[in-house]
Amino acid sequence: MDPFNVDSHKLNYHPDRVGDWLRGVNVYPIYMEVSPTGACNHRCTFCGLDFVGYQPRSLETGLFKERLTEMGTLGVRSIMYAGEGEPLLHRNIGEIAAHTRTSGIDVAFTTNAVMLRAQLADTLVPVCEWIKVSINAGTAATYSAIHRTKAADFDRVIENLRQARRVKEDTKSSCVLGMQAVLLPENSGEMTTLARIARDLGLDYLVVKPYSQHPQSETERYRDVTYEDPQRLADELASLNTGEFSVIFRLNALQKAAEGRHPYTRCLALPFWSYIDAGGNVWGCSVYLGDERFLYGNITTETFKQIWEGERRAASLKWVCNDLDASGCRVNCRMDEANRYLWDLRTPPRHVNFI
């Protein structure tokens, strides 16, 4: 069960934007990821962005709110707050989330939820489309070892989610609340336990996904991780599904990880999304943070419109189109499924009129 299409993409629901792109129009992103702060209170063993260095920098609230208003008018449809740090550590994150919604942009969070206490939940749950919590074990001991934090954080996160669920009920919010776990050798035996915890909390889903090695990550601990008989675990987890709760076991992503290659040679998805880091830099791809060939500009010195329509971004897209070999990119990158869809549109089979 994957009622939210987590293991695929949703670009096909935006035919107007895709059609403009096919006609060569400079389209604005549908979806963006934003890192409100580079600081993080955990040091997960699998962290793909460890190379950024958990810098204690944060977006300036007033200026970023101005940019949010602008991005809403330009057609940005959604923002997920996550990034190279823990987004809830930004001291004004509730204000930022509320302003994002006011700007006509859908709001979501991927967070470890240690800071999702009652007062913040009161602010976030009513304005968010979804909140996904990274919790990579079913017991406090394994959780503390993987997240490299104190075991007490496990119980705190569970209680915070329980409170968020109460806020959802009290405010009649449509916010989808879920968990996500990266499947690792250390936690594979606890996924059923974690699924039961999520179900009993009244959450909407648990996502279980394979590990994907980030090309720039300092850790290579799981580079050669393999999964034996994933269908057995998928079936076991599926038995916990109810009408209100789903375990989304990302078999499609796991199969792609096993293949280790892409069916496309060029990245086509960059016009439809972007990434803003905690320093205000706008990047074409989060896998290549620090690579200035993917740097479009900075929102502290330029408007978003100036950046998106600027020469630097145009040069970056031209380089990606002509020179970047996407077969060497990260397996299961954020835009992989969108790329597969766009590649099929750009390189159609014969006889497409015979529908």
Side-chain angles (χ1 to χ4, degrees):
M1 292 176 64
D2 187 3
F4 307 104
N5 230 18
V6 172
D7 208 18
S8 185
H9 73 97
K10 304 183 185 75
L11 198 52
N12 53 306
Y13 298 106
H14 301 273
D16 53 342
R17 202 82 59 108
V18 174
D20 284 344
W21 170 77
L22 282 169
R23 289 187 289 273
V25 177
N26 181 27
V27 299
Y28 275 86
I30 297 169
Y31 163 69
M32 295 190 66
E33 294 183 19
V34 174
S35 179
T37 179
C40 193
N41 49 354
H42 287 179
R43 293 292 185 271
C44 297
T45 57
F46 59 86
C47 181
L49 294 178
D50 52 5
F51 68 94
V52 180
Y54 311 105
Q55 301 173 53
R57 57 181 183 172
S58 297
L59 294 174
E60 197 281 312
T61 303
L63 179 116
F64 185 58
K65 287 170 65 177
E66 291 179 17
R67 296 292 180 263
L68 284 170
T69 301
E70 178 197 9
M71 288 190 286
T73 63
L74 292 171
V76 173
R77 302 275 181 87
S78 66
I79 290 179
M80 181 185 74
Y81 291 106
E84 67 264 25
E86 165 50 46
L88 301 191
L89 289 177
H90 192 291
R91 62 180 182 176
N92 300 126
I93 194 60
E95 180 183 346
I96 287 172
H99 189 79
T100 307
R101 180 67 175 265
T102 301
S103 300
I105 302 171
D106 290 345
V107 189
F109 279 85
T110 295
T111 169
N112 62 40
V114 173
M115 304 300 293
L116 190 63
R117 298 190 175 97
Q119 185 175 0
L120 187 53
D122 287 340
T123 301
L124 294 185
V125 172
V127 303
C128 284
E129 291 291 315
W130 50 265
I131 299 173
K132 180 170 62 183
V133 175
S134 178
I135 178 168
N136 297 279
T139 65
T142 305
Y143 174 89
S144 64
I146 293 175
H147 285 247
R148 290 196 282 199
T149 187
K150 51 186 180 295
D153 277 358
F154 182 80
D155 293 328
R156 179 178 297 168
V157 169
I158 299 302
E159 181 54 37
N160 288 348
L161 280 168
R162 185 175 286 112
Q163 173 62 25
R165 174 63 180 163
R166 283 196 290 266
V167 173
K168 177 178 177 176
E169 292 175 351
D170 292 346
T171 61
K172 295 181 171 53
S173 169
S174 60
C175 178
V176 173
L177 299 173
M179 291 178 174
Q180 175 175 278
V182 177
L183 190 60
L184 303 171
E186 299 96 313
N187 65 18
S188 59
E190 297 184 4
M191 289 299 98
T192 302
T193 300
L194 183 60
R196 289 196 179 98
I197 292 172
R199 182 193 62 186
D200 295 346
L201 281 171
L203 302 187
D204 296 288
Y205 66 82
L206 165 68
V207 173
V208 179
K209 68 177 188 178
Y211 173 78
S212 174
Q213 179 69 38
H214 193 296
Q216 297 193 73
S217 180
E218 293 177 358
T219 179
E220 297 194 353
R221 179 172 177 173
Y222 305 106
R223 176 179 288 277
D224 298 319
V225 67
T226 57
Y227 302 100
E228 294 184 10
D229 196 11
Q231 188 63 57
R232 180 196 59 78
L233 179 57
D235 293 341
E236 183 179 329
L237 292 170
S239 69
L240 299 174
N241 291 337
T242 69
E244 295 76 37
F245 173 76
S246 303
V247 179
I248 303 169
F249 190 87
R250 296 191 58 183
L251 271 174
N252 181 39
L254 196 146
Q255 290 164 356
K256 290 188 296 183
E259 292 171 3
R261 59 184 177 83
H262 305 292
Y264 47 88
T265 58
R266 291 287 181 262
C267 180
L268 303 177
L270 298 192
F272 298 97
W273 90 298
S274 191
Y275 181 97
I276 299 179
D277 70 21
N281 295 304
V282 181
W283 299 90
C285 180
S286 61
V287 172
Y288 293 97
L289 295 180
D291 186 336
E292 298 220 347
R293 293 173 297 184
F294 290 87
L295 179 60
Y296 296 164
N298 190 292
I299 60 170
T300 64
T301 57
E302 299 173 273
T303 66
F304 192 76
K305 180 180 173 65
Q306 288 171 332
I307 293 170
W308 204 254
E309 297 185 4
E311 293 181 4
R312 189 163 188 173
R313 176 173 174 267
S316 177
L317 289 178
K318 183 178 180 180
W319 178 83
V320 168
C321 179
N322 295 329
D323 299 310
L324 177 69
D325 182 2
S327 63
C329 290
R330 185 181 192 181
V331 175
N332 280 323
C333 81
R334 186 82 67 186
M335 289 293 109
D336 177 64
E337 284 294 324
N339 260 318
R340 290 168 185 255
Y341 171 71
L342 294 171
W343 185 257
D344 188 49
L345 290 178
R346 273 284 175 84
T347 58
R350 296 175 63 186
H351 311 148
V352 294
N353 292 334
F354 292 86
I355 59 174

